[in-house]
Amino acid sequence: MTGIITRTMATTMTKMSIALMLALSTSSVYAAQDNAYHHEAELSFLDSDDSDDGGDGLVNANYRYYFKAVEQADKPYALAGFFHQGSTVAARYATTDVEDLYNISGEYVFDSKWFIGAEVSQLNIEEDNYSSRPDSFTTYSANLGYFFTDHSALTLNYSRMSESESSSFTSATYNSEGYISRDLDVFNLTYEHFISLQSTAGVMLTGKFTYSDDQYTINSSSTAIDNLGQVTIRDSKIYMGYNNYNLAINADWYINNAWSVGANVEQRYLDTSYNFSDTSFDNQGDNDQTDTYTGINTRYVWRFADVFSAKFSLDHSYFNGEYDNDSQTSFSIGINARF
């Protein structure tokens, strides 16, 4: 996700804190009705203090339809969909100053509590910013899972992305051909479990193991003729392969149905292999690294009407890598409608 400069971030976060305090102080004035709903639509804005790309944040819009009504009373508002355990279809659009994402998905839940799902995503990248790579990626995903209880689920997900792009140029003295390809396979195994508590709403625990195989190749060849008629032929290849193993654990404590605080830790092991070859040289090898991510967050849902809610979130993450360390703060604000 693209970032924004730090001083703008600080100002915006101050405004968000004021809005959150107002929400907390006025939530008792109006008691929204927790009516069951079939439709859920949301518009949100996400940004962070990561200014590496000099962007202006991410705008996200999504819609979800539930085939049977979702009951949202007496449970954390953010988890109503998880407790629902019913069939859905959804669509999403997200955009930054350099990327656009389109997504459609669906999930069917059997009476036996097994469920299956499918998803298609299209990511378009502004070509001027990534001229050496394909500017469009399509990802296909499928998942299979099971609800053990009303509060727990296990999901296995597989995603596949394979894209390629070719180019050519021809003149009287020069011609070239190029081919770029990327193949990405991702496997996710996720377990979710909600623990109800007497004094507070409860704790949501999530464990996830991810394995991904990412292969990126550039092949190019060219033929040039100089003024003396001498012919120069050049062939080159760039190959990068990444095997990534991630283990993540998240815990979100719901103090009440509207407010939660959470923490997460993630361990990533990356094995990289490469091969850079040309007409005159060949360089290949591999390396590995282990990185750790930890983070804390807080989220609040302000039910200011029967249908509409305002959503606020604040996250701070730490990156402890073999080669560098970093931290990042991000925030999100949004409007949610359920009807």
Side-chain angles (χ1 to χ4, degrees):
M1 190 210 70
T2 54
I4 194 170
I5 56 177
T6 305
R7 62 177 180 271
T8 303
M9 175 69 186
T11 302
T12 309
M13 287 178 58
T14 301
K15 294 179 180 179
M16 186 191 70
S17 300
I18 295 173
L20 182 56
M21 287 188 293
L22 289 174
L24 290 168
S25 63
T26 59
S27 58
S28 60
V29 176
Y30 174 81
Q33 299 298 311
D34 292 330
N35 299 320
Y37 62 93
H38 285 275
H39 308 268
E40 183 170 20
E42 186 169 309
L43 180 65
S44 61
F45 175 76
L46 174 68
D47 210 339
S48 79
D49 60 358
D50 181 5
S51 58
D52 290 344
D53 297 325
D56 294 318
L58 180 146
V59 177
N60 181 74
N62 57 63
Y63 167 79
R64 185 176 298 273
Y65 176 76
Y66 300 85
F67 286 90
K68 69 175 183 179
V70 181
E71 299 293 338
Q72 61 178 331
D74 302 322
K75 58 177 64 71
Y77 299 122
L79 300 181
F82 171 75
F83 291 121
H84 171 58
Q85 299 186 359
S87 302
T88 64
V89 292
R92 178 191 177 197
Y93 170 70
T95 182
T96 70
D97 56 347
V98 295
E99 297 175 338
D100 292 289
L101 174 69
Y102 305 86
N103 174 279
I104 56 173
S105 62
E107 189 168 87
Y108 181 79
V109 181
F110 297 90
D111 293 338
S112 61
K113 292 302 181 180
W114 285 91
F115 58 89
I116 57 174
E119 182 175 334
V120 180
S121 298
Q122 176 77 32
L123 177 65
N124 298 329
I125 303 175
E126 190 174 308
E127 189 173 357
D128 291 343
N129 292 273
Y130 299 90
S131 58
S132 63
R133 299 193 177 194
D135 58 0
S136 179
F137 301 95
T138 302
T139 303
Y140 301 92
S141 302
N143 66 275
L144 171 68
Y146 182 72
F147 292 109
F148 291 99
T149 67
D150 292 340
H151 292 172
S152 61
L154 180 68
T155 307
L156 176 64
N157 178 273
Y158 169 69
S159 299
R160 168 73 175 172
M161 188 275 289
S162 180
E163 298 293 339
S164 61
E165 186 175 292
S166 60
S167 61
S168 62
F169 175 80
T170 302
S171 68
T173 59
Y174 180 82
N175 68 77
S176 65
E177 294 182 351
Y179 177 78
I180 304 172
S181 69
R182 185 185 180 191
D183 295 293
L184 174 63
D185 295 281
V186 182
F187 296 87
N188 283 301
L189 183 63
T190 304
Y191 180 72
E192 300 168 282
H193 191 99
F194 182 78
I195 302 173
S196 299
L197 300 175
Q198 291 184 348
S199 57
T200 60
V203 176
M204 184 68 173
L205 299 175
T206 304
K208 177 182 288 189
F209 174 76
T210 303
Y211 167 73
S212 63
D213 179 16
D214 192 358
Q215 300 185 44
Y216 178 63
T217 304
I218 301 178
N219 291 322
S220 62
S221 62
S222 63
T223 302
I225 305 175
D226 62 18
N227 295 332
L228 300 178
Q230 294 180 326
V231 178
T232 301
I233 299 176
R234 181 177 180 180
D235 294 309
S236 63
K237 177 181 179 179
I238 298 176
Y239 167 79
M240 298 293 295
Y242 307 93
N243 288 310
N244 204 332
Y245 304 83
N246 296 355
L247 180 62
I249 299 175
N250 301 336
D252 293 298
W253 174 37
Y254 287 84
I255 300 170
N256 53 44
N257 290 336
W259 182 28
S260 70
V261 293
N264 63 281
V265 60
E266 180 177 353
Q267 189 84 14
R268 298 184 183 182
Y269 173 77
L270 176 63
D271 182 19
T272 303
S273 58
Y274 60 89
N275 184 0
F276 305 135
S277 60
D278 203 333
T279 306
S280 57
F281 72 90
D282 187 6
N283 181 18
Q284 56 184 319
D286 60 78
N287 59 67
D288 59 79
Q289 67 184 77
T290 301
D291 302 320
T292 302
Y293 293 78
T294 57
I296 55 176
N297 67 77
T298 183
R299 314 196 192 289
Y300 185 79
V301 179
W302 176 26
R303 302 286 317 287
F304 63 86
D306 292 345
V307 172
F308 294 102
S309 300
K311 301 177 70 175
F312 311 88
S313 69
L314 184 65
D315 296 72
H316 188 73
S317 60
Y318 306 86
F319 169 68
N320 184 15
E322 289 192 8
Y323 304 105
D324 63 342
N325 299 308
D326 198 6
S327 64
Q328 177 178 299
T329 300
S330 62
F331 75 96
S332 175
I333 56 176
I335 295 293
N336 177 277
R338 294 174 173 180
F339 53 96

